[in-house]
Amino acid sequence: MTAHRGEWPVTDEQRFEWFQDARFGLFIHWGLYCTLGGEWQGQRMEYIGEWIMSKYQIPLREYVKLAQQFDPQAFDADAWVRLAKRAGMRYIVITSKHHEGFAMYHSQVSTYNIVDATPFDRDPLAELAEACKRHGLKLGLYYSQDLDWHEPNAGDPGPDYPKNAGEMSWTNDWDFPDYEAKDYIPYFEEKVKPQVRELLTRYGPISVLWFDTPVSISREQSTELVNLVRELQPDCLINTRIGNGLGDYGSMGDNQVPYGQLEGIWEVPATLNDTWGYKHFDRNWKSAAETLRILAGLASKNANYLLNVGPMPDGRFPQPAIEILEEIGNWMEIYGDAVHGTRQSPYPYEFEWGWITHQAAAGTTPAKLYLLFKRWPAEPLVLRGLRTEVTAAHELSAPDQALRLDQSLDGDPTEVTLHLPDQKPAAEIPVVALELAGPANVDQRLIAQHQDRITLPAYRAKVHPNGADAATTPHLNRARILAGWKDTQPWIEWDLHIPAPGAYEVSVTTANLRHRRPWRGGHNIRVEIGGDTIETVLTRAEGKNQPKDRYNAQARSHCGWVHFDQAGPVKLALKAVSIDDSSGIGLALVSAELRAQS
């Protein structure tokens, strides 16, 4: 599938190689909004800080005054870049203009910029470009091409378009309320295109142009921007938020972590706390451990992690952010090879104990599988389905201490038994490297892994519409969740391999697709497998979310037990008896699972 790349043929895959090798980048949201820190006239906003102008409908005549007090004398581009590099980040993307319309560089197109409108009188983008060049990091630029609350003709999807988060206007309709009088074309021709040209001609090589929020821009206008980027910097990558199905690589939703293997090239933009732009009272920081777990999971799915920090009004990063990035850097210094330059796991499912990344052979360096452990097994780890000989294994913090392993390539499935030290290494996420005799060849069947657990991802299920309307038939969304299941006619089915006779517990994991809304169950489902039938209502059995689910809740529901008299291939069918659609999302399936009775 290449839909996320739009219609631009990729003739030089090297344009993408650095991006995939990088795996980890720093996002920076910095603008006038940081001077308010999420608070306006004594009111603290729950929503993300850079939307404060829209949240409180701050009149433009008041908002522009913020520029007079914006003087970030503590800004140090070199310190920012050194910290990012220390954390193992390979590229930086910074907001050159967010929805507020204020340019964070010396624009000749509009005096509403950090040099002409503030006492600061310096171009932070020029300084950041030099620092990135000095330290070998790639530079990317965020640009809001559609929304601009400073301009009367900026993008406006119209009064019938749903509000952001149900309450905030996408456009500045408090200063410029006459929708019929707006004409996007002058804004696009006189501000957007000239500013994009400035950004691509004045700051050296730009590796990514990160567009955002195309709520009203036309396909023709998105295409014009793509053509402009291609003309000025052909190697610059464009994300799919340019709109209208265009772009070079896929951008997931904000803080949206995929639940399964992705096809193509993707990036997850996510926050280190709960906001993008600085809020002085947002102290809900993700720990270094949480962040590393997200990074490891994304690398195993071939996705980049673009992690955001919102600088303070004086130009410094908040101290907790600095400390977290430093701690991440300590891990990356030892274990970075398991992330940088890797590609997705050759296995078609995730593991209860952690994640796998893959590195192809290069010259005399053999191909490797990296096993990243979120749980250190108390007994030898059995890895099934690897059909390539493993020649050596070691934990990355102890490269000279070979681990003992046993491998059977004749069984069905094949097995590698890895004898790990009893004592877990000190790292939050230890990593074991398996050196391979050739390219990784992995059994693609759904088979039991460690502790005889079989994962059945939604994206591996066969969907039987059974005559249902297409609008109510389950389909995979970009997070690899089977969504849109609102009719009891469709059903789904997996092919799997039972490793041994015995009793197995069946569980189902479902998700709430709406950002930061609680998980809801209530669906009545039927599971049919091996002559057994289970009918149950999905209730929360295990609802403690992993770091990746912080903003998109999921929960596992235990369904019951089934028994198999013999090993071998079987089919598992999942059907909906009734669906609770009170949340408006229907049944959203992440996976099913079978776990052998211990």
Side-chain angles (χ1 to χ4, degrees), residues 222-545:
S222 292
T223 302
E224 280 192 66
L225 288 179
V226 171
N227 287 334
L228 183 59
V229 176
R230 296 282 182 260
E231 171 197 341
L232 298 174
Q233 294 211 30
D235 291 335
C236 180
L237 301 181
I238 302 169
N239 68 335
T240 47
R241 295 195 190 189
I242 194 168
N244 296 292
L246 302 178
D248 295 316
Y249 69 89
S251 179
M252 300 293 288
D254 294 354
N255 289 299
Q256 183 185 43
V257 177
Y259 289 89
Q261 299 284 16
L262 298 168
E263 298 178 28
I265 302 170
W266 289 85
E267 179 185 65
V268 171
T271 56
L272 190 53
N273 51 357
D274 287 337
T275 186
W276 301 84
Y278 175 68
K279 286 168 62 176
H280 71 87
F281 50 90
D282 183 350
R283 300 180 181 89
N284 192 24
W285 299 98
K286 298 178 181 70
S287 67
E290 287 181 285
T291 305
L292 287 169
R293 287 188 172 203
I294 296 172
L295 176 63
L298 290 176
S300 77
K301 300 179 180 77
N302 213 36
N304 284 16
Y305 189 17
L306 186 60
L307 182 61
N308 180 78
V309 174
M312 299 185 294
D314 65 4
R316 294 176 300 151
F317 284 1
Q319 187 59 32
I322 295 173
E323 294 171 2
I324 293 165
L325 292 178
E326 290 279 6
E327 191 175 343
I328 291 170
N330 293 337
W331 185 90
M332 293 289 282
E333 190 173 356
I334 298 172
Y335 296 106
D337 285 350
V339 173
H340 294 141
T342 62
R343 297 297 183 265
Q344 70 186 37
S345 170
Y347 282 86
Y349 42 77
E350 296 189 30
F351 296 84
E352 186 274 338
W353 50 261
W355 310 271
I356 294 179
T357 59
H358 172 239
Q359 194 169 62
T364 59
T365 303
K368 295 186 180 75
L369 292 184
Y370 292 104
L371 281 54
L372 299 93
F373 288 90
K374 61 182 173 184
R375 295 185 183 89
W376 191 252
E379 65 283 326
L381 176 73
V382 178
L383 182 65
R384 297 188 175 104
L386 179 60
R387 294 166 171 162
T388 307
E389 180 188 356
V390 180
T391 58
H394 66 273
E395 206 276 332
L396 291 192
S397 66
D400 298 328
Q401 298 176 25
L403 298 176
R404 184 166 68 90
L405 60 88
D406 304 309
Q407 186 170 19
S408 167
L409 293 174
D410 298 326
D412 183 21
T414 60
E415 285 190 356
V416 177
T417 301
L418 190 61
H419 299 272
L420 301 168
D422 293 335
Q423 184 67 36
K424 173 183 175 291
E428 180 68 30
I429 301 177
V431 180
V432 170
L434 303 183
E435 296 185 5
L436 307 180
N441 180 1
V442 168
D443 189 337
Q444 295 299 298
R445 294 177 300 172
L446 300 177
I447 58 177
Q449 284 296 341
H450 189 62
Q451 297 179 329
D452 286 336
R453 182 189 299 241
I454 309 173
T455 300
L456 311 177
Y459 56 88
R460 286 292 301 268
K462 180 181 180 180
V463 177
H464 298 272
N466 202 27
D469 186 276
T472 59
T473 299
H475 62 273
L476 284 177
N477 69 7
R478 61 183 170 185
R480 308 296 275 170
I481 294 172
L482 205 59
W485 196 344
K486 298 187 176 186
D487 193 321
T488 57
Q489 287 181 267
W491 59 283
I492 63 173
E493 183 178 47
W494 290 273
D495 291 302
L496 60 145
H497 186 89
I498 297 298
Y504 288 77
E505 184 183 29
V506 180
S507 63
V508 168
T509 298
T510 54
N512 185 355
L513 304 180
R514 294 185 175 172
H515 185 71
R516 302 187 75 172
R517 298 287 181 89
W519 177 89
R520 293 178 63 96
H523 313 296
N524 188 352
I525 66 163
R526 181 183 298 122
V527 176
E528 299 172 356
I529 182 170
D532 288 329
T533 299
I534 302 170
E535 187 170 322
T536 186
V537 175
L538 297 183
T539 57
R540 180 190 300 269
E542 298 175 22
K544 184 179 180 181
N545 288 324

